[in-house]
């Protein structure tokens, strides 16, 4: 018989941490904490396989499941001395989701399950605390109605707010037992009115309703969106964890909290967290009340006027600190921990590897390696290469004037300026219109996820450092200021009151997620510097990395930036970008309009010194590192005007005939220019273009070698080659120019001529082409287009649907299609190196900065990847991780 349910508690468990795929992350870690002998409320996990069965069998359960659940409930009852549904000594449980990958706030939870009009009295009597019992009951009705019955929680909040206003209450803790009794009656009346049937009293009906709701939440909109953003497969499913309730809302000797064993924003080795006295877990993470700091040091640093847990509950705090050290040492990683204190007794509800900023990831990994907790290679493997983007965003210029209008908690580092928006829809619309926006909310919820993604920064009035907004923003590297209690947000009116002034939608503010400041207007930013832990970890990464990392650059600014980020040369210099400068486009157009070769050469002679200076600067900046220069690639019509007004304006500026300009543009017009008169086809039809560029390259190499004292070995790349004959024809003109420059300058040039493999035929005939080519650079942007038959400029209308329907696992222009395009790369590598053993191989498409594609390049035996300057650190780390993976 299949085992669908795994129990834990009382110092033992049927599962362990290695069973995450079956038990989910939460279930596996609850089992592990139980096995470690930590204080964990007893419970059981319904496996992810039940979720798979549920969706494969028309949302039904395996026949054996009910009996296994009843047996597990009985075991919880044995441990706790209570019975589920018992009128005199009832067992109450929580029902929570738990996928194998952490998805904070994305799926549904129900607490205090098992309460009804009978058991609430028993709980009140047993606890001698009637207020606590009825507070728990109203919470259960709210959560169960929202999660299971589909009655929006906002309706209950409206009833509560109206009641508090009428009674003159400010906080939920002001309400007494009689108040909660009245509200429970109103809540149940609302359910009856909304659904036409009463709130369920049967605990078994409640339990199975909640289990079904958790499985159903795996396919809710916010969970689907989160999975797509984080590449979590739908087939993984979620587990369900049913656990005996422990109560943080039982009075002033009870509390609930969330803590990290190290600071998730900075990585500092200090306990970081928040708690609330007389509260339940959702009060902390949902931002309903602004929490109190865990430690005395944190309270002093934050100038909090509320006691810390260390001061309010010293015994429970001391035990908690000891447990955090045990968990971090056991898991060998920073832990995110949820806990409850019930009548001064500490209970551990969850532990998991904590989400953290890239800055914190680096510091934690480096410091743990120095502490001997992990190895240097493990430290390199701990950092998500894509997360390094967080370190590459602007921060506020320290010299800039700051007009502070509010201050909150520094929930996620970095800074952003943008127009105020108040809803997720407004944020998405603003981004679609090309605007930078700041999402301003009372507090965020999982329903806001799309708007949070669209926004450049997030500001909330409520919530703490572990609120939904803070956790999600840190995970995405977005600046966030939470708990800015002095502001007033009126979403309906579209206004933000801050610093005595009213701001409306579209007004610009700046937030500093590192200080918690909210500032008026747009503030000057500065680019980050990568040093400290980053430099140390990258040194470790470079020590294990096999592939080189180059950059795609054609301007001195890009080349210098890339060198600062550790680029080891230029893998792609797109020469056509150099011709669009206002001072050069006229000469380029003169060349295109020329009636014969003589006219073209005359125009090209004007461009020669400009090109030579371009290349000289790049060679000098790279100072002996390899530089790959691609000859002119795009079709000539891209350099010509198209509208009548543009034609007239350009003709007048050039002193040329508008009719001739119009006729030439029409003559060069193509129906499918991506496959048209471009690349090597231009150099074959007009060899004088390639000659000018080759001469400029060689003359610049001579000058740069003299000025830097470093040898310069240019790599000249011929684009869009399909046959060896094409390459040979262009290579002959390049070699002729080399000989001419050698004779004129009295020097011996060292250079290489190679090609871009961007057509399927070139990959298939790579052996033949390698007879002439000294290097290959796989241009996977065009190779993807020509292999799959998709134009990347027109694919946006359907690629999203293709990914959603599982045709592609990911956009093939973002991460290389390993089965199709990748197979052609592998063919090109194998056949090219068979012909020329020392053939240099690289990749220069956008895939050169994608970690998954870099891992593929490592497996394929490429020598280097090339990417945009700001992706260089990502590529360096990804290449190191790929090399480590190859060793396994």
């Amino acid at each position: 018989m299949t085992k669908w349910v795994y129990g834990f508690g009382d110092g033992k468990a049927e599962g362990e941490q290695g069973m995450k795929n079956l038990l989910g992350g939460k279930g596996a870690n609850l089992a592990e904490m139980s096995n470690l002998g930590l204080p964990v409320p007893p419970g059981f996990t319904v496996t992810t396989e039940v979720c798979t069965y549920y969706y494969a069998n028309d949302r039904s359960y395996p026949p054996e499941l009910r009996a296994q659940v009843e047996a597990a409930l009985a075991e919880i009852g044995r441990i706790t001395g209570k019975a589920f549904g018992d009128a005199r000594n009832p067992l109450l449980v929580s029902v929570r989701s738990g996928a194998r990958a952490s998805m904070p706030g994305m799926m549904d939870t129900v607490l205090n399950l098992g309460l009804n009009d009978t058991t609430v009295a028993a709980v009140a009597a047993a606890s001698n605390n009637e207020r606590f019992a009825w507070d728990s009951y109203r919470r259960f009705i709210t959560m169960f109605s929202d999660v299971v019955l589909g009655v929006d929680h906002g309706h209950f909040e409206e009833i509560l707010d109206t009641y508090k206003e009428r009674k003159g209450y400010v906080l939920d803790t002001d309400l007494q037992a009689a108040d909660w009794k009245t509200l429970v009656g109103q809540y149940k009346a609302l359910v009856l009115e909304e659904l036409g049937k009463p709130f369920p009293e049967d605990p078994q009906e409640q339990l199975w309703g909640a289990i079904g709701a958790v499985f159903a939440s795996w396919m809710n909109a916010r969970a689907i969106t989160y999975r797509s953003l984080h590449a979590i497969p739908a087939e993984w499913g979620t587990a369900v964890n049913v656990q005996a309730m422990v109560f943080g809302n039982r009075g002033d000797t009870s509390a609930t909290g969330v803590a990290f064993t190290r600071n998730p924003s900075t990585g500092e080795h200090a306990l970081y967290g928040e708690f609330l006295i007389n509260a339940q877990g959702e009060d902390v993470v949902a931002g309903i009340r602004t929490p109190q700091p865990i430690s005395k040091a944190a309270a002093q640093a934050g100038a909090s006027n509320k006691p810390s847990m260390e001061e309010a509950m010293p015994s429970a705090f001391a035990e908690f600190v000891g447990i955090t050290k045990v968990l971090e040492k056991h898991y060998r990683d920073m832990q995110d921990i949820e806990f409850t204190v019930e009548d001064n007794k500490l209970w551990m509800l969850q532990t998991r590897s904590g989400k953290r900023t890239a800055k914190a990831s680096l510091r934690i990994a480096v410091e743990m390696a120095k502490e001997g907790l992990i190895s240097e290679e493990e430290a390199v493997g701990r950092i998500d290469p894509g997360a390094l983007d967080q370190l590459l965003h602007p921060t506020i210029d320290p010299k800039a004037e700051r007009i502070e209008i509010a201050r909150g908690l520094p929930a996620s580092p970095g800074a952003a300026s943008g127009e105020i928006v108040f809803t997720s829809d407004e944020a998405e619309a603003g981004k679609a219109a090309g605007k930078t926006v700041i999402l301003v909310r009372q507090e965020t919820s999982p329903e806001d996820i799309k708007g949070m993604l669209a926004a450049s920064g997030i500001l909330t009035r409520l919530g703490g450092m572990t609120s939904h907004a803070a956790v999600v923003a840190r995970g995405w590297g977005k600046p966030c200021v939470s708990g800015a209690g002095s502001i007033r947000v009126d979403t309906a009116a579209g206004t933000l009151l801050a610093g005595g002034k009213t701001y409306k939608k579209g007004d610009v503010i700046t937030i500093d997620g590192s200080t918690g400041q909210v500032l008026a207007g747009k503030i000057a930013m500065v680019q980050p510097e990568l040093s400290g832990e980053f430099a140390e970890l990258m040194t470790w990464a470079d020590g294990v990395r096999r592939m080189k990392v180059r950059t795609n650059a054609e301007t001195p600014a890009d080349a210098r930036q890339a060198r600062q980020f550790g680029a080891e040369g230029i893998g792609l210099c797109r020469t056509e970008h150099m011709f669009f400068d206002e001072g050069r486009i006229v000469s380029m157009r003169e060349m295109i309009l020329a009636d014969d070769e003589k006219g073209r050469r005359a125009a090209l002679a004007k461009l020669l010194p400009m090109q030579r200076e371009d290349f000289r600067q790049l060679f000098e900046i790279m100072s002996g590192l390899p530089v790959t220069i691609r000859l002119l690639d795009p079709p000539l019509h891209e350099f010509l005007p198209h509208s009548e007004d543009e034609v007239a304006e350009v003709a007048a500026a050039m002193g040329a005939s508008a009719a001739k300009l119009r006729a030439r543009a029409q003559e060069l017009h193509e129906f499918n220019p991506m496959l048209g008169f471009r690349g090597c086809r231009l150099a074959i039809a007009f060899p004088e273009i390639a000659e000018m560029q080759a001469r400029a390259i060689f003359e610049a190499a001579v000058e740069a070698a003299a000025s830097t004292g470093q040898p310069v070995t240019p790599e000249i790349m011929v684009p869009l080659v399909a046959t060896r004959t094409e390459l040979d024809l262009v290579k002959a003109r390049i070699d002729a120019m080399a000989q001419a420059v050698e004779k004129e300058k009295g020097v011996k040039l060292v250079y290489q001529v190679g090609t871009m493999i961007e057509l399927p035929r070139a990959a298939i005939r790579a052996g033949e082409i390698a007879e002439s080519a000294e290097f290959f650079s796989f241009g996977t942007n065009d190779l993807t287009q020509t292999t799959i038959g998709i134009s990347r400029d027109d694919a946006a209308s359907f690629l999203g649907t293709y990914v959603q329907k599982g045709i592609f696992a990911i956009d093939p222009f973002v991460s290389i299609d390993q089965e199709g395009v990748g197979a052609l790369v592998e063919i090109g590598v194998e056949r090219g190196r068979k012909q020329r053993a020392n053939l240099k191989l690289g990749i220069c498409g956008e895939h050169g900065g994608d970690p998954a594609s870099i891992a593929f390049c490592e497996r394929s035996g490429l020598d280097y990847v090339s990417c945009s300057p700001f992706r260089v650190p990502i590529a360096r780390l990804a290449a190191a991780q790929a090399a480590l993976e190859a060793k396994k």
Side-chain angles (χ1 to χ4, degrees), residues 11-12 33 37 84 87 100 132 137 252 324 353 447-448 535 577 594 597 614 661 689 706 722 781:
K12 62 182 184 299
M33 286 197 294
F84 188 64
R100 70 169 84 169
F132 147 69
Y137 194 13
D252 291 342
T324 63
S353 291
E447 282 76 14
D448 293 317
H577 289 187
E597 181 181 334
D614 292 332
L661 192 60
I689 298 177
N781 295 344

Side-chain angles (χ1 to χ4, degrees), residues 805-864:
K805 292 184 179 296
I807 297 170
F808 293 132
I810 191 170
D811 183 336
F813 293 106
V814 172
S815 192
I816 194 167
D817 163 34
Q818 297 185 24
E819 295 176 348
V821 177
L824 286 171
V825 171
E826 290 171 332
I827 289 170
V829 169
E830 188 251 328
R831 295 182 181 180
R833 283 224 169 113
K834 186 176 181 180
Q835 175 62 43
R836 187 187 290 263
N838 63 344
L839 183 70
K840 188 184 298 183
L841 299 170
I843 184 174
C844 62
E846 290 302 310
H847 298 119
D850 168 60
S853 302
I854 290 169
F856 167 80
C857 293
E858 172 68 32
R859 293 192 300 272
S860 300
L862 270 59
D863 296 305
Y864 70 87

Side-chain angles (χ1 to χ4, degrees), residues 123-134:
V123 171
S127 63
N128 196 29
N129 189 335
E130 195 176 24
R131 184 201 178 280
F132 147 69
W134 285 93

Side-chain angles (χ1 to χ4, degrees), residues 540-616:
W540 298 345
D542 291 342
V544 298
R545 176 164 56 86
R546 182 192 63 83
M547 286 191 298
K548 298 292 186 182
V549 175
R550 302 191 193 181
T551 190
N552 301 338
E554 43 278 333
T555 69
D558 281 350
R560 290 190 188 96
Q561 182 70 76
R563 286 290 291 125
Q564 290 175 5
F565 286 148
E568 298 162 303
I570 292 177
L572 175 62
C573 169
R574 307 173 184 90
T575 56
E576 61 272 7
H577 289 187
M578 300 167 168
F579 295 128
F580 285 99
D581 182 80
E582 191 174 339
R584 306 176 185 201
I585 191 70
V586 172
S587 298
M588 189 67 180
R589 286 167 173 166
E590 286 176 356
M591 187 273 294
I592 296 169
L593 290 175
D595 295 318
D596 53 25
E597 181 181 334
K598 182 180 178 181
R600 286 192 295 274
R601 287 190 180 277
L604 288 166
K606 298 178 184 178
L607 291 169
L608 174 62
M610 303 176 194
Q611 281 268 274
R612 181 172 58 235
E613 178 60 16
D614 292 332
F615 299 142
R616 182 192 63 77

Side-chain angles (χ1 to χ4, degrees), residues 165-320:
E165 187 174 344
R166 182 162 56 84
K167 289 282 190 174
Y169 296 146
V170 177
L171 300 174
D172 291 359
T173 49
D174 295 335
L175 279 72
Q176 299 307 308
D179 298 308
W180 290 129
K181 281 183 182 179
T182 301
L183 283 165
V184 164
Q186 292 182 23
Y187 285 4
K188 292 174 75 174
L190 170 66
V191 173
L192 181 60
E193 179 184 346
E194 289 286 320
L195 302 180
K197 58 182 180 180
F199 186 86
E201 292 273 317
D202 179 9
Q204 287 290 339
E205 182 183 348
Q206 295 172 359
L207 176 64
W208 288 99
I211 290 172
V214 170
F215 284 138
S217 71
W218 180 249
M219 288 298 180
N220 70 27
R222 64 180 187 264
I224 290 170
T225 298
Y226 189 93
R227 286 201 303 272
S228 67
L229 291 172
H230 295 271
I232 299 171
E235 57 268 22
W236 280 5
T238 183
V240 178
N241 297 288
V242 179
Q243 196 171 11
M245 280 296 303
V246 287
F247 298 94
N249 61 326
R250 203 162 170 167
D252 291 342
T253 59
S254 301
T256 188
V258 177
F260 296 82
T261 55
R262 304 188 189 216
N263 189 309
S265 288
T266 66
E268 180 189 1
H269 194 175
L271 195 60
Y272 174 101
E274 302 169 319
F275 85 118
L276 277 172
I277 292 174
N278 196 16
Q280 286 198 319
E282 74 271 16
D283 297 341
V284 179
V285 297
I288 294 168
R289 287 163 56 191
T290 299
Q292 300 160 233
I294 286 276
S295 67
K296 189 188 300 182
Q300 292 169 348
S304 174
N305 58 0
K306 295 181 179 180
S308 65
M309 181 181 173
E310 185 176 1
E311 296 164 304
M313 297 179 168
S315 177
F317 176 79
E319 183 183 4
F320 180 70

Side-chain angles (χ1 to χ4, degrees), residues 695-714:
R695 175 176 280 277
I697 291 168
F698 293 134
E699 290 179 353
V702 172
E703 292 182 13
S707 65
T708 64
Q710 297 290 333
V712 177
T713 305

Side-chain angles (χ1 to χ4, degrees), residues 533-805:
E533 288 86 9
F534 173 85
E536 193 156 12
L537 185 115
M538 294 307 287
T539 298
W540 298 345
D542 291 342
V544 298
R545 176 164 56 86
R546 182 192 63 83
M547 286 191 298
K548 298 292 186 182
V549 175
R550 302 191 193 181
T551 190
N552 301 338
E554 43 278 333
T555 69
D558 281 350
R560 290 190 188 96
Q561 182 70 76
R563 286 290 291 125
Q564 290 175 5
F565 286 148
E568 298 162 303
I570 292 177
L572 175 62
C573 169
R574 307 173 184 90
T575 56
E576 61 272 7
H577 289 187
M578 300 167 168
F579 295 128
F580 285 99
D581 182 80
E582 191 174 339
R584 306 176 185 201
I585 191 70
V586 172
S587 298
M588 189 67 180
R589 286 167 173 166
E590 286 176 356
M591 187 273 294
I592 296 169
L593 290 175
D595 295 318
D596 53 25
E597 181 181 334
K598 182 180 178 181
R600 286 192 295 274
R601 287 190 180 277
L604 288 166
K606 298 178 184 178
L607 291 169
L608 174 62
M610 303 176 194
Q611 281 268 274
R612 181 172 58 235
E613 178 60 16
D614 292 332
F615 299 142
R616 182 192 63 77
Q617 290 187 63
L618 293 180
F619 288 142
E620 288 183 348
I621 292 167
M622 288 297 147
S623 189
L625 294 173
V627 176
T628 302
I629 299 170
R630 183 178 71 186
L631 299 182
L632 188 66
D633 185 33
L636 296 179
H637 70 79
E638 287 193 8
F639 298 95
L640 296 179
H642 298 288
S643 71
E644 285 298 321
D645 288 345
E646 288 175 332
V647 168
E649 182 181 348
V650 169
M654 293 179 62
S657 161
K660 182 176 182 181
L661 192 60
R662 194 180 301 111
R664 184 61 171 148
Q666 183 61 38
E667 181 183 334
L668 291 172
H669 170 75
E670 295 175 302
F671 289 103
N672 191 351
M674 201 276 285
L675 298 177
F677 188 21
R678 52 166 286 219
C680 67
R681 299 158 194 174
L682 288 172
I684 291 168
F686 303 128
E688 55 272 16
I689 298 177
E691 289 175 3
M692 181 278 289
Q693 291 196 292
R695 175 176 280 277
I697 291 168
F698 293 134
E699 290 179 353
V702 172
E703 292 182 13
S707 65
T708 64
Q710 297 290 333
V712 177
T713 305
E715 298 174 359
I716 302 176
M717 185 158 65
V718 181
L720 211 69
V721 161
T723 71
R724 175 188 171 183
T725 304
E726 289 173 312
L727 178 60
D728 286 344
L729 286 170
V730 180
K731 186 174 184 297
R733 307 316 305 152
I734 295 169
D735 291 340
M737 286 299 101
Q739 292 167 13
V741 171
E742 284 177 335
K743 186 175 181 180
E744 293 165 11
K745 303 292 185 181
V747 296
K748 180 64 179 175
L749 291 169
V750 178
Y751 64 96
Q752 292 184 335
V753 178
T755 185
M756 238 176 156
I757 303 294
E758 49 194 326
L759 296 173
R761 190 186 193 281
I764 293 168
R765 301 298 296 168
E768 180 181 67
I769 294 172
E771 293 177 20
S772 298
E774 295 170 277
F775 66 87
F776 286 170
S777 181
F778 290 93
T780 50
N781 295 344
D782 277 357
L783 188 58
T784 297
Q785 295 191 96
T786 54
T787 299
I788 306 177
I790 292 178
S791 163
R792 63 175 172 168
D793 296 323
D794 303 309
S797 61
F798 63 87
L799 264 184
T801 302
Y802 266 47
V803 172
Q804 188 178 17
K805 292 184 179 296

